[in-house]
Amino acid sequence: MSADDYESTSGQARAAAGLPGPMIVLAGGVLVGAINIYLAASLLPTAVADLGGASFYAWNMTVYLVAMVVATMLTGRFLSRWGNVGAYLLGFAVFTAGSLACALSPAMAVLLAARGVQGFGAGLLSGLGFAVIRSALPPRLWTRGTALMSAMYGVGNFAGPALGGLFAQLGSWRLAFAVMAVVSAGCGALVPRVLPRVLPGVRRGVLSGGGHDRDLRPPVPVGSLLLVMAAAGAVSVAGVLAGTLAKAAGIGVAVLLMAGFVVHERGSELRVFPQATYRSGSSLKWVYLTLGLLACGVAAESFLPLFGQRLAGLAPLVAGFFAAAISLGWSLTQIGSSSVTGGRAVRRLRVLGPVLLAAGLLVQGLLQREETPLWLVAVWVPVLLVAGAGIGLAYPHLSVAAMSSTPDPEEGRRAAAGIATVTSLSIAFGTAVAGVLVNLGGGSMLDSARYVLFGLAFLCALGALTAHAANRTDPALAADRA
């Protein structure tokens, strides 16, 4: 039996035996990481009052996101080294340890280090959530599986601020991290029972008839890793710098570093993304770009509470729930979108998603007013739900396109793990861009709100062009057209 046959047979048999178990583990891993992106933001004012270190306030998000992006890049390495079960146990163990360290932190410096550990575990779990679908589920369920994984980002973006605000209201910021540790440990305990045991890379040489134990574990792409770390760091730092020029310079450095990353990957044998990403005529690069532009729209949620409080006089807790409408629309829409089949329908949803997201943000910008009346605030919510629905329509089909971009299982897992890398990095990049746009408004919150919403709408609209390019170059959809 070949390695490919072993993976397919064991995964489908396990999926047929009991879908809820694998899906709880896969979805739970993505969810705990997504929740903690914004959980700490709600808890930090209380934590700073307890620990001090206000000057390091913004670095909690920076450290977490950088560690998360790096970990998603290493997902393929961990899968090849320890297999599905081992990699997942490691991810949950690291996240649990980081969460406990956050809960017990005696000083802000320790909290920062713990957030880095927590972010690394979250990134690994996010990457695994997409990569392991290939072996945990049969191909006919890949679309619904990826829809559930990506929906967890929406649920996490909704639940994170709400849970953080609740525990901050109770004055128990340490308890919030302790609860996340318990949830993570519970999911980790399920791993050996429900996931298929795909053998690690060192055994694949035997299964594929190599005649001896050949170590097929991919070496760590150090050059690519350093460039992405630097780019992620520059984006995150740009989001917290004072002054528009400083923010713009930080984003410019990040763009140059990402350009260097692409050049390095094209000419290197050690890559983060599959070789098909850089091949002429391949659809994978357009798929990744579309996913990234969709994820940029989520960055609006970081600033919508501010606009709701300043322009409409909403209470902080109400403004937080109002801001999560994009994520809620994203999550709910994927329930129906994931069941859509047929090449023509899939092509339309891929393009319609970015258009709908951009239109929602554009209309939301046009509806901004000083001293917004309550009836107009009520209109904001469905508009933001429609914007989030744009992500939900396209995201699962783009994710499956990435997973199915190559028949090679190792490259397929790398392509799937790249979904989490692109999503995390794009949210960080979009947040930094939105931070620059807020400053362009100067002292006018109305102008700041319009700059942010119009600017993000423009970025998301570009996703319609990249989605069209992905449709045109996707061999599966081309065959369907024929």
Side-chain angles (χ1 to χ4, degrees):
M1 179 184 289
S2 69
D4 297 1
D5 292 337
Y6 173 82
E7 177 175 342
S8 176
T9 301
S10 64
Q12 293 187 30
R14 179 71 67 170
L19 284 173
M23 296 314 298
I24 288 173
V25 170
L26 271 62
V30 176
L31 180 61
V32 294
I35 285 177
N36 277 270
I37 293 177
Y38 294 108
L39 176 72
S42 301
L43 296 172
L44 278 178
T46 308
V48 167
D50 186 12
L51 301 177
S55 59
F56 294 102
Y57 184 97
W59 282 93
N60 277 273
M61 179 70 80
T62 301
V63 170
Y64 185 88
L65 283 175
V66 170
M68 192 172 181
V69 170
V70 170
T72 59
M73 295 175 59
L74 296 175
T75 300
R77 171 71 179 182
F78 287 115
L79 271 175
S80 296
R81 174 65 178 84
W82 287 296
N84 287 357
V85 172
Y88 252 109
L89 288 175
L90 177 65
F92 279 118
V94 171
F95 184 85
T96 301
S99 299
L100 287 175
C102 288
L104 300 174
S105 296
M108 182 59 71
V110 179
L111 181 60
L112 282 174
R115 283 286 283 168
V117 175
Q118 191 187 42
F120 191 90
L124 181 55
L125 292 171
S126 297
L128 289 170
F130 289 96
V132 174
I133 285 177
R134 289 177 59 98
S135 59
L137 300 178
R140 63 184 173 83
L141 295 178
W142 283 1
T143 301
R144 294 188 179 185
T146 54
L148 180 61
M149 295 305 102
S150 54
M152 291 302 100
Y153 282 107
V155 174
N157 291 348
F158 180 82
L163 289 176
L166 175 62
F167 282 105
Q169 191 82 24
L170 298 174
S172 303
W173 67 271
R174 296 181 186 273
L175 182 58
F177 289 114
V179 168
M180 295 310 304
V182 171
V183 173
S184 174
C187 291
L190 292 175
V191 169
R193 300 181 179 183
V194 301
L195 285 187
R197 290 185 176 273
V198 175
L199 300 186
V202 69
R203 294 292 299 165
R204 291 186 187 274
V206 177
L207 286 175
S208 44
H212 58 280
D213 285 358
R214 291 185 291 120
D215 189 354
L216 302 182
R217 294 174 307 211
V220 177
V222 177
S224 298
L225 191 62
L226 291 175
L227 284 168
V228 168
M229 284 178 63
V235 169
S236 299
V237 170
V240 300
L241 289 176
T244 302
L245 289 178
K247 288 179 178 290
I251 293 176
V253 169
V255 171
L256 290 175
L257 288 169
M258 287 306 299
F261 167 80
V262 172
V263 172
H264 174 77
E265 287 251 306
R266 287 177 63 93
S268 174
E269 293 297 324
L270 303 179
R271 300 181 182 89
V272 172
F273 296 112
Q275 185 178 5
T277 309
Y278 310 101
R279 188 183 302 129
S280 177
S282 170
S283 65
L284 189 55
K285 58 179 172 291
W286 300 115
V287 169
Y288 279 150
L289 282 171
T290 309
L291 285 168
L293 290 169
L294 285 172
C296 280
V298 182
E301 291 188 333
S302 298
F303 299 91
L304 286 174
L306 176 65
F307 303 152
Q309 292 179 51
R310 297 288 182 85
L311 297 178
L314 299 178
L317 185 59
V318 175
F321 279 109
F322 150 76
I326 292 178
S327 292
L328 185 60
W330 172 6
S331 302
L332 294 177
T333 306
Q334 288 186 123
I335 298 173
S337 174
S338 62
S339 63
V340 174
T341 58
R344 177 176 298 181
V346 169
R347 285 196 302 272
R348 289 176 176 174
L349 289 179
R350 288 183 182 180
V351 177
L352 179 61
V355 171
L356 203 58
L357 174 59
L361 294 175
L362 177 62
V363 171
Q364 182 68 15
L366 293 173
L367 293 176
Q368 300 302 294
R369 297 286 188 278
E370 294 281 5
E371 299 182 359
T372 309
L374 185 60
W375 68 267
L376 188 55
V377 173
V379 176
W380 287 359
V381 177
V383 170
L384 292 174
L385 287 172
V386 169
I391 305 176
L393 289 177
Y395 203 102
H397 300 289
L398 291 165
S399 299
V400 170
M403 291 170 53
S404 308
S405 60
T406 172
D408 180 76
E410 190 65 37
E411 287 287 277
R413 281 191 296 272
R414 188 178 298 179
I419 298 169
T421 302
V422 169
T423 300
S424 301
L425 191 58
S426 297
I427 291 175
F429 187 88
T431 302
V433 171
V436 173
L437 296 174
V438 164
N439 281 344
L440 291 179
S444 171
M445 185 56 60
L446 178 60
D447 288 343
S448 294
R450 288 175 175 170
Y451 282 137
V452 168
L453 293 167
F454 291 159
L456 292 179
F458 173 76
L459 284 178
C460 296
L462 296 177
L465 301 178
T466 58
H468 177 71
N471 289 341
R472 185 165 41 84
T473 54
D474 190 323
L477 296 182
D480 181 80
R481 286 195 300 271

